[in-house]
CSV table of all heavy atoms in Angstrom, one decimal:
chain,number,residue,atom,x,y,z
A,1260,MET,N,0.9,-1.2,0.0
A,1260,MET,CA,0.0,0.0,0.0
A,1260,MET,C,0.9,1.2,0.0
A,1260,MET,O,1.8,1.3,0.8
A,1260,MET,CB,-0.9,0.0,1.2
A,1260,MET,CG,-1.9,1.1,1.3
A,1260,MET,SD,-3.1,0.7,2.5
A,1260,MET,CE,-4.0,2.2,2.5
A,1261,PRO,N,0.6,2.2,-0.9
A,1261,PRO,CA,1.5,3.4,-0.9
A,1261,PRO,C,1.3,4.2,0.3
A,1261,PRO,O,0.2,4.3,0.9
A,1261,PRO,CB,1.0,4.1,-2.2
A,1261,PRO,CG,-0.4,3.6,-2.4
A,1261,PRO,CD,-0.4,2.2,-1.9
A,1262,ASP,N,2.3,5.0,0.6
A,1262,ASP,CA,2.2,5.9,1.7
A,1262,ASP,C,1.5,7.2,1.3
A,1262,ASP,O,1.9,7.8,0.3
A,1262,ASP,CB,3.6,6.3,2.2
A,1262,ASP,CG,4.4,5.1,2.8
A,1262,ASP,OD1,3.7,4.3,3.5
A,1262,ASP,OD2,5.6,5.0,2.7
A,1263,LEU,N,0.4,7.4,1.9
A,1263,LEU,CA,-0.4,8.6,1.6
A,1263,LEU,C,-0.3,9.6,2.7
A,1263,LEU,O,-0.4,9.3,3.9
A,1263,LEU,CB,-1.9,8.2,1.4
A,1263,LEU,CG,-2.3,7.4,0.2
A,1263,LEU,CD1,-3.8,7.0,0.2
A,1263,LEU,CD2,-2.0,8.2,-1.1
A,1264,THR,N,-0.2,10.9,2.3
A,1264,THR,CA,-0.3,12.0,3.2
A,1264,THR,C,-1.7,12.2,3.5
A,1264,THR,O,-2.6,11.7,2.8
A,1264,THR,CB,0.4,13.2,2.6
A,1264,THR,OG1,-0.3,13.6,1.5
A,1264,THR,CG2,1.9,13.0,2.3
A,1265,ARG,N,-2.0,13.0,4.4
A,1265,ARG,CA,-3.4,13.4,4.8
A,1265,ARG,C,-4.1,14.0,3.6
A,1265,ARG,O,-5.2,13.7,3.3
A,1265,ARG,CB,-3.4,14.3,6.0
A,1265,ARG,CG,-4.8,14.7,6.4
A,1265,ARG,CD,-4.8,15.7,7.5
A,1265,ARG,NE,-4.1,15.2,8.7
A,1265,ARG,CZ,-3.8,15.9,9.7
A,1265,ARG,NH1,-4.2,17.2,9.8
A,1265,ARG,NH2,-3.1,15.4,10.7
A,1266,ARG,N,-3.4,14.9,2.9
A,1266,ARG,CA,-4.0,15.6,1.8
A,1266,ARG,C,-4.2,14.6,0.6
A,1266,ARG,O,-5.2,14.7,0.0
A,1266,ARG,CB,-3.0,16.7,1.3
A,1266,ARG,CG,-3.6,17.6,0.2
A,1266,ARG,CD,-2.7,18.7,-0.1
A,1266,ARG,NE,-2.7,19.7,1.0
A,1266,ARG,CZ,-1.9,20.7,1.2
A,1266,ARG,NH1,-1.0,20.9,0.3
A,1266,ARG,NH2,-2.0,21.5,2.2
A,1267,GLY,N,-3.3,13.7,0.4
A,1267,GLY,CA,-3.5,12.7,-0.6
A,1267,GLY,C,-4.6,11.7,-0.3
A,1267,GLY,O,-5.3,11.3,-1.2
A,1268,PHE,N,-4.8,11.4,1.0
A,1268,PHE,CA,-5.9,10.5,1.4
A,1268,PHE,C,-7.2,11.2,1.1
A,1268,PHE,O,-8.1,10.5,0.6
A,1268,PHE,CB,-5.7,10.1,2.8
A,1268,PHE,CG,-6.8,9.3,3.4
A,1268,PHE,CD1,-6.9,7.9,3.0
A,1268,PHE,CD2,-7.8,9.8,4.2
A,1268,PHE,CE1,-8.0,7.2,3.5
A,1268,PHE,CE2,-8.8,9.1,4.6
A,1268,PHE,CZ,-8.9,7.8,4.3
A,1269,ILE,N,-7.3,12.4,1.5
A,1269,ILE,CA,-8.6,13.2,1.3
A,1269,ILE,C,-8.9,13.3,-0.2
A,1269,ILE,O,-10.0,13.1,-0.6
A,1269,ILE,CB,-8.5,14.5,2.0
A,1269,ILE,CG1,-8.4,14.4,3.5
A,1269,ILE,CG2,-9.7,15.4,1.6
A,1269,ILE,CD1,-8.2,15.7,4.3
A,1270,ALA,N,-7.9,13.5,-1.0
A,1270,ALA,CA,-8.1,13.6,-2.4
A,1270,ALA,C,-8.5,12.3,-3.0
A,1270,ALA,O,-9.5,12.2,-3.9
A,1270,ALA,CB,-6.8,14.1,-3.1
A,1271,ALA,N,-7.9,11.2,-2.6
A,1271,ALA,CA,-8.3,9.9,-3.1
A,1271,ALA,C,-9.7,9.5,-2.6
A,1271,ALA,O,-10.5,8.9,-3.4
A,1271,ALA,CB,-7.3,8.8,-2.6
A,1272,SER,N,-10.1,9.9,-1.4
A,1272,SER,CA,-11.4,9.6,-0.9
A,1272,SER,C,-12.5,10.4,-1.7
A,1272,SER,O,-13.5,9.8,-2.0
A,1272,SER,CB,-11.5,9.9,0.6
A,1272,SER,OG,-10.6,9.2,1.3
A,1273,LEU,N,-12.2,11.6,-2.0
A,1273,LEU,CA,-13.2,12.4,-2.7
A,1273,LEU,C,-13.3,11.9,-4.1
A,1273,LEU,O,-14.4,11.9,-4.7
A,1273,LEU,CB,-12.7,13.9,-2.7
A,1273,LEU,CG,-12.9,14.6,-1.4
A,1273,LEU,CD1,-12.3,16.0,-1.5
A,1273,LEU,CD2,-14.3,14.6,-0.9
A,1274,ALA,N,-12.2,11.5,-4.7
A,1274,ALA,CA,-12.3,11.0,-6.1
A,1274,ALA,C,-13.1,9.7,-6.1
A,1274,ALA,O,-13.9,9.5,-7.0
A,1274,ALA,CB,-10.9,10.7,-6.6
A,1275,ALA,N,-12.9,8.8,-5.1
A,1275,ALA,CA,-13.7,7.6,-5.1
A,1275,ALA,C,-15.2,7.8,-4.9
A,1275,ALA,O,-16.0,7.2,-5.5
A,1275,ALA,CB,-13.1,6.6,-4.0
A,1276,GLY,N,-15.4,8.8,-4.0
A,1276,GLY,CA,-16.8,9.2,-3.7
A,1276,GLY,C,-17.5,9.8,-5.0
A,1276,GLY,O,-18.7,9.6,-5.2
A,1277,GLY,N,-16.7,10.5,-5.7
A,1277,GLY,CA,-17.3,11.2,-6.9
A,1277,GLY,C,-17.6,10.1,-8.0
A,1277,GLY,O,-18.6,10.2,-8.7
A,1278,LEU,N,-16.8,9.1,-8.0
A,1278,LEU,CA,-17.1,8.0,-9.0
A,1278,LEU,C,-18.4,7.2,-8.6
A,1278,LEU,O,-19.1,6.8,-9.5
A,1278,LEU,CB,-15.9,7.0,-9.1
A,1278,LEU,CG,-14.7,7.6,-9.8
A,1278,LEU,CD1,-13.6,6.6,-9.7
A,1278,LEU,CD2,-15.0,7.9,-11.3
A,1279,ARG,N,-18.6,7.1,-7.3
A,1279,ARG,CA,-19.9,6.4,-6.9
A,1279,ARG,C,-21.1,7.3,-7.1
A,1279,ARG,O,-22.2,6.8,-7.4
A,1279,ARG,CB,-19.7,6.1,-5.4
A,1279,ARG,CG,-18.7,5.0,-5.2
A,1279,ARG,CD,-18.8,4.5,-3.7
A,1279,ARG,NE,-20.1,4.0,-3.4
A,1279,ARG,CZ,-20.5,3.8,-2.1
A,1279,ARG,NH1,-19.7,4.1,-1.1
A,1279,ARG,NH2,-21.7,3.4,-1.9
A,1280,ALA,N,-21.0,8.6,-7.0
A,1280,ALA,CA,-22.1,9.5,-7.1
A,1280,ALA,C,-22.4,9.9,-8.5
A,1280,ALA,O,-23.6,10.3,-8.8
A,1280,ALA,CB,-21.9,10.7,-6.2
A,1281,LEU,N,-21.5,9.8,-9.4
A,1281,LEU,CA,-21.7,10.2,-10.8
A,1281,LEU,C,-22.8,9.5,-11.5
A,1281,LEU,O,-23.7,10.1,-12.1
A,1281,LEU,CB,-20.4,10.1,-11.6
A,1281,LEU,CG,-20.4,10.7,-13.0
A,1281,LEU,CD1,-20.7,12.2,-12.9
A,1281,LEU,CD2,-19.1,10.4,-13.6
A,1282,PRO,N,-22.9,8.1,-11.5
A,1282,PRO,CA,-24.0,7.5,-12.2
A,1282,PRO,C,-25.4,7.9,-11.6
A,1282,PRO,O,-26.3,8.0,-12.4
A,1282,PRO,CB,-23.7,6.0,-12.0
A,1282,PRO,CG,-22.3,5.9,-11.7
A,1282,PRO,CD,-22.0,7.2,-11.0
A,1283,VAL,N,-25.5,8.1,-10.3
A,1283,VAL,CA,-26.8,8.5,-9.7
A,1283,VAL,C,-27.2,9.9,-10.2
A,1283,VAL,O,-28.3,10.2,-10.5
A,1283,VAL,CB,-26.6,8.5,-8.2
A,1283,VAL,CG1,-27.9,9.0,-7.5
A,1283,VAL,CG2,-26.4,7.1,-7.7
A,1284,ALA,N,-26.2,10.8,-10.3
A,1284,ALA,CA,-26.5,12.1,-10.8
A,1284,ALA,C,-26.9,12.2,-12.2
A,1284,ALA,O,-27.7,13.0,-12.6
A,1284,ALA,CB,-25.3,13.0,-10.5
A,1285,LEU,N,-26.4,11.3,-13.0
A,1285,LEU,CA,-26.7,11.2,-14.5
A,1285,LEU,C,-28.1,10.7,-14.7
A,1285,LEU,O,-28.7,11.0,-15.7
A,1285,LEU,CB,-25.6,10.4,-15.2
A,1285,LEU,CG,-24.3,11.1,-15.3
A,1285,LEU,CD1,-23.3,10.1,-16.0
A,1285,LEU,CD2,-24.3,12.4,-16.0
A,1286,LYS,N,-28.6,9.8,-13.8
A,1286,LYS,CA,-29.9,9.2,-14.0
A,1286,LYS,C,-31.0,10.1,-13.7
A,1286,LYS,O,-32.1,10.0,-14.2
A,1286,LYS,CB,-30.0,7.9,-13.2
A,1286,LYS,CG,-29.2,6.8,-13.7
A,1286,LYS,CD,-29.3,5.6,-12.8
A,1286,LYS,CE,-28.4,4.5,-13.2
A,1286,LYS,NZ,-28.5,3.3,-12.3
A,1287,GLN,N,-30.8,11.1,-12.8
A,1287,GLN,CA,-31.9,12.0,-12.4
A,1287,GLN,C,-32.1,13.1,-13.4
A,1287,GLN,O,-31.1,13.6,-13.9
A,1287,GLN,CB,-31.5,12.6,-11.0
A,1287,GLN,CG,-31.4,11.6,-9.9
A,1287,GLN,CD,-31.0,12.3,-8.6
A,1287,GLN,OE1,-30.5,13.4,-8.6
A,1287,GLN,NE2,-31.1,11.6,-7.5
A,1288,PRO,N,-33.4,13.4,-13.6
A,1288,PRO,CA,-33.6,14.5,-14.6
A,1288,PRO,C,-33.2,15.8,-14.0
A,1288,PRO,O,-33.2,16.0,-12.7
A,1288,PRO,CB,-35.1,14.5,-14.8
A,1288,PRO,CG,-35.6,13.8,-13.6
A,1288,PRO,CD,-34.6,12.8,-13.1
A,1289,PRO,N,-32.8,16.8,-14.8
A,1289,PRO,CA,-32.3,18.1,-14.2
A,1289,PRO,C,-33.5,18.8,-13.5
A,1289,PRO,O,-34.6,18.8,-14.0
A,1289,PRO,CB,-31.9,18.9,-15.4
A,1289,PRO,CG,-32.5,18.2,-16.6
A,1289,PRO,CD,-32.7,16.8,-16.2
A,1290,ALA,N,-33.2,19.3,-12.3
A,1290,ALA,CA,-34.2,19.9,-11.5
A,1290,ALA,C,-34.0,21.4,-11.5
A,1290,ALA,O,-32.8,21.9,-11.6
A,1290,ALA,CB,-34.2,19.4,-10.0
A,1291,ARG,N,-35.0,22.2,-11.4
A,1291,ARG,CA,-34.9,23.6,-11.4
A,1291,ARG,C,-34.7,24.1,-9.9
A,1291,ARG,O,-35.4,23.5,-9.0
A,1291,ARG,CB,-36.2,24.3,-11.9
A,1291,ARG,CG,-36.3,24.2,-13.4
A,1291,ARG,CD,-37.4,25.0,-13.9
A,1291,ARG,NE,-38.5,25.1,-13.0
A,1291,ARG,CZ,-39.6,25.8,-13.2
A,1291,ARG,NH1,-39.7,26.6,-14.3
A,1291,ARG,NH2,-40.6,25.8,-12.3
A,1292,ARG,N,-33.9,25.1,-9.7
A,1292,ARG,CA,-33.7,25.6,-8.4
A,1292,ARG,C,-34.3,27.0,-8.4
A,1292,ARG,O,-34.0,27.9,-9.2
A,1292,ARG,CB,-32.3,25.7,-8.0
A,1292,ARG,CG,-31.7,24.3,-7.9
A,1292,ARG,CD,-30.2,24.5,-7.6
A,1292,ARG,NE,-29.6,23.2,-7.4
A,1292,ARG,CZ,-29.5,22.5,-6.3
A,1292,ARG,NH1,-29.9,23.1,-5.2
A,1292,ARG,NH2,-28.9,21.3,-6.3
A,1293,ILE,N,-35.2,27.3,-7.4
A,1293,ILE,CA,-35.9,28.6,-7.3
A,1293,ILE,C,-35.4,29.2,-6.1
A,1293,ILE,O,-35.5,28.7,-5.0
A,1293,ILE,CB,-37.4,28.4,-7.3
A,1293,ILE,CG1,-37.9,27.7,-8.6
A,1293,ILE,CG2,-38.1,29.7,-7.1
A,1293,ILE,CD1,-39.4,27.4,-8.6
A,1294,LEU,N,-34.8,30.4,-6.2
A,1294,LEU,CA,-34.2,31.2,-5.1
A,1294,LEU,C,-35.2,32.3,-4.8
A,1294,LEU,O,-35.4,33.2,-5.7
A,1294,LEU,CB,-32.8,31.6,-5.4
A,1294,LEU,CG,-32.1,32.4,-4.3
A,1294,LEU,CD1,-31.8,31.4,-3.2
A,1294,LEU,CD2,-30.8,33.0,-4.8
A,1295,THR,N,-35.7,32.4,-3.6
A,1295,THR,CA,-36.5,33.6,-3.2
A,1295,THR,C,-35.9,34.2,-2.0
A,1295,THR,O,-35.3,33.6,-1.2
A,1295,THR,CB,-37.9,33.1,-2.9
A,1295,THR,OG1,-37.9,32.1,-1.9
A,1295,THR,CG2,-38.6,32.6,-4.1
A,1296,LEU,N,-36.1,35.5,-1.8
A,1296,LEU,CA,-35.7,36.2,-0.7
A,1296,LEU,C,-36.9,36.5,0.2
A,1296,LEU,O,-37.9,37.0,-0.3
A,1296,LEU,CB,-35.0,37.6,-1.1
A,1296,LEU,CG,-33.7,37.4,-1.8
A,1296,LEU,CD1,-33.2,38.8,-2.3
A,1296,LEU,CD2,-32.7,36.8,-0.9
A,1297,VAL,N,-36.8,36.2,1.5
A,1297,VAL,CA,-37.9,36.5,2.4
A,1297,VAL,C,-37.3,37.2,3.6
A,1297,VAL,O,-36.1,37.2,3.9
A,1297,VAL,CB,-38.5,35.1,2.9
A,1297,VAL,CG1,-39.2,34.4,1.8
A,1297,VAL,CG2,-37.5,34.3,3.6
A,1298,TYR,N,-38.2,38.0,4.3
A,1298,TYR,CA,-37.8,38.8,5.4
A,1298,TYR,C,-38.0,37.9,6.7
A,1298,TYR,O,-39.1,37.4,6.9
A,1298,TYR,CB,-38.6,40.1,5.5
A,1298,TYR,CG,-38.1,40.9,6.7
A,1298,TYR,CD1,-36.9,41.6,6.6
A,1298,TYR,CD2,-38.8,41.0,7.9
A,1298,TYR,CE1,-36.5,42.4,7.7
A,1298,TYR,CE2,-38.4,41.7,8.9
A,1298,TYR,CZ,-37.2,42.5,8.8
A,1298,TYR,OH,-36.8,43.2,9.9
A,1299,ASP,N,-37.0,37.7,7.4
A,1299,ASP,CA,-37.0,36.8,8.6
A,1299,ASP,C,-37.0,37.8,9.8
A,1299,ASP,O,-36.1,38.5,10.1
A,1299,ASP,CB,-35.8,35.9,8.7
A,1299,ASP,CG,-36.0,34.8,9.7
A,1299,ASP,OD1,-36.9,34.9,10.5
A,1299,ASP,OD2,-35.2,33.8,9.7
A,1300,LYS,N,-38.2,37.8,10.5
A,1300,LYS,CA,-38.3,38.7,11.7
A,1300,LYS,C,-37.4,38.3,12.8
A,1300,LYS,O,-37.0,39.2,13.6
A,1300,LYS,CB,-39.8,38.7,12.1
A,1300,LYS,CG,-40.7,39.4,11.2
A,1300,LYS,CD,-42.1,39.3,11.8
A,1300,LYS,CE,-43.1,39.9,10.8
A,1300,LYS,NZ,-44.5,39.8,11.3
A,1301,SER,N,-37.1,37.0,13.0
A,1301,SER,CA,-36.3,36.6,14.1
A,1301,SER,C,-34.9,37.1,14.0
A,1301,SER,O,-34.3,37.4,15.1
A,1301,SER,CB,-36.3,35.1,14.2
A,1301,SER,OG,-35.7,34.5,13.1
A,1302,ILE,N,-34.3,37.3,12.8
A,1302,ILE,CA,-33.0,37.8,12.7
A,1302,ILE,C,-33.0,39.2,12.2
A,1302,ILE,O,-31.9,39.9,12.2
A,1302,ILE,CB,-32.1,36.9,11.8
A,1302,ILE,CG1,-32.7,36.8,10.4
A,1302,ILE,CG2,-31.9,35.5,12.4
A,1302,ILE,CD1,-31.8,36.1,9.4
A,1303,GLY,N,-34.1,39.7,11.8
A,1303,GLY,CA,-34.2,41.1,11.4
A,1303,GLY,C,-33.6,41.5,10.1
A,1303,GLY,O,-33.1,42.6,9.9
A,1304,MET,N,-33.5,40.5,9.2
A,1304,MET,CA,-32.9,40.8,7.9
A,1304,MET,C,-33.5,39.8,6.9
A,1304,MET,O,-34.2,38.9,7.2
A,1304,MET,CB,-31.4,40.7,8.0
A,1304,MET,CG,-30.9,39.4,8.4
A,1304,MET,SD,-29.1,39.3,8.8
A,1304,MET,CE,-28.4,40.2,7.5
A,1305,MET,N,-33.1,40.0,5.6
A,1305,MET,CA,-33.5,39.2,4.5
A,1305,MET,C,-32.8,37.9,4.5
A,1305,MET,O,-31.6,37.8,4.9
A,1305,MET,CB,-33.3,39.9,3.2
A,1305,MET,CG,-34.1,41.2,3.0
A,1305,MET,SD,-35.9,40.9,3.0
A,1305,MET,CE,-36.1,40.3,1.3
A,1306,ARG,N,-33.4,36.8,4.1
A,1306,ARG,CA,-32.8,35.5,4.1
A,1306,ARG,C,-33.2,34.8,2.7
A,1306,ARG,O,-34.3,35.0,2.2
A,1306,ARG,CB,-33.4,34.6,5.2
A,1306,ARG,CG,-32.8,33.3,5.4
A,1306,ARG,CD,-33.2,32.7,6.7
A,1306,ARG,NE,-34.6,32.6,6.9
A,1306,ARG,CZ,-35.3,31.4,6.6
A,1306,ARG,NH1,-34.6,30.4,6.3
A,1306,ARG,NH2,-36.6,31.4,6.8
A,1307,ALA,N,-32.2,34.1,2.2
A,1307,ALA,CA,-32.4,33.4,0.9
A,1307,ALA,C,-33.0,32.0,1.2
A,1307,ALA,O,-32.4,31.3,2.0
A,1307,ALA,CB,-31.1,33.3,0.1
A,1308,VAL,N,-34.0,31.6,0.5
A,1308,VAL,CA,-34.6,30.3,0.6
A,1308,VAL,C,-34.6,29.7,-0.8
A,1308,VAL,O,-35.1,30.2,-1.8
A,1308,VAL,CB,-36.1,30.4,1.1
A,1308,VAL,CG1,-36.7,29.0,1.1
A,1308,VAL,CG2,-36.1,31.1,2.5
A,1309,GLU,N,-34.0,28.5,-0.9
A,1309,GLU,CA,-33.8,27.8,-2.1
A,1309,GLU,C,-34.7,26.6,-2.1
A,1309,GLU,O,-34.7,25.8,-1.2
A,1309,GLU,CB,-32.4,27.4,-2.3
A,1309,GLU,CG,-32.1,26.8,-3.7
A,1309,GLU,CD,-30.6,26.4,-3.8
A,1309,GLU,OE1,-30.0,26.3,-2.8
A,1309,GLU,OE2,-30.3,26.2,-5.0
A,1310,ARG,N,-35.5,26.4,-3.2
A,1310,ARG,CA,-36.4,25.3,-3.4
A,1310,ARG,C,-36.0,24.5,-4.7
A,1310,ARG,O,-35.6,25.2,-5.7
A,1310,ARG,CB,-37.9,25.7,-3.5
A,1310,ARG,CG,-38.5,26.3,-2.3
A,1310,ARG,CD,-39.9,26.5,-2.5
A,1310,ARG,NE,-40.2,27.5,-3.5
A,1310,ARG,CZ,-41.2,27.4,-4.4
A,1310,ARG,NH1,-42.1,26.5,-4.3
A,1310,ARG,NH2,-41.3,28.4,-5.3
A,1311,VAL,N,-36.0,23.2,-4.6
A,1311,VAL,CA,-35.7,22.4,-5.8
A,1311,VAL,C,-37.0,21.9,-6.3
A,1311,VAL,O,-37.7,21.2,-5.6
A,1311,VAL,CB,-34.7,21.3,-5.4
A,1311,VAL,CG1,-34.4,20.4,-6.6
A,1311,VAL,CG2,-33.4,21.8,-4.8
A,1312,VAL,N,-37.3,22.2,-7.6
A,1312,VAL,CA,-38.5,21.8,-8.2
A,1312,VAL,C,-38.2,20.8,-9.3
A,1312,VAL,O,-37.4,21.1,-10.2
A,1312,VAL,CB,-39.3,23.0,-8.8
A,1312,VAL,CG1,-40.6,22.5,-9.5
A,1312,VAL,CG2,-39.6,24.0,-7.7
A,1313,PRO,N,-38.7,19.6,-9.3
A,1313,PRO,CA,-38.4,18.6,-10.3
A,1313,PRO,C,-39.0,18.9,-11.6
A,1313,PRO,O,-39.9,19.7,-11.8
A,1313,PRO,CB,-39.0,17.3,-9.8
A,1313,PRO,CG,-40.0,17.7,-8.7
A,1313,PRO,CD,-39.6,19.0,-8.2
């Protein structure tokens, strides 16, 4: 087994995870994302709310 640094291990893990998630992402139809701004009284400012619509 090759000696991996922490950075190399993280990169290899992310690459392997990406290969597993890629076929699932390709099978799903593209979804629309709707971003709206709402006023949140509890924090006293505007907040972005994102909805995913199939």
Side-chain angles (χ1 to χ4, degrees):
M1260 183 164 175
D1262 292 328
L1263 288 176
T1264 62
R1265 181 184 303 171
R1266 188 174 290 169
F1268 175 76
I1269 292 172
S1272 299
L1273 288 175
L1278 287 177
R1279 290 185 61 193
L1281 187 62
V1283 174
L1285 292 178
K1286 289 180 185 176
Q1287 295 176 347
R1291 288 189 325 175
R1292 294 179 180 267
I1293 299 175
L1294 183 68
T1295 55
L1296 293 175
V1297 295
Y1298 184 76
D1299 193 346
K1300 291 181 183 178
S1301 63
I1302 59 174
M1304 59 190 314
M1305 298 295 283
R1306 184 168 59 98
V1308 177
E1309 185 178 20
R1310 291 185 299 144
V1311 178
V1312 179

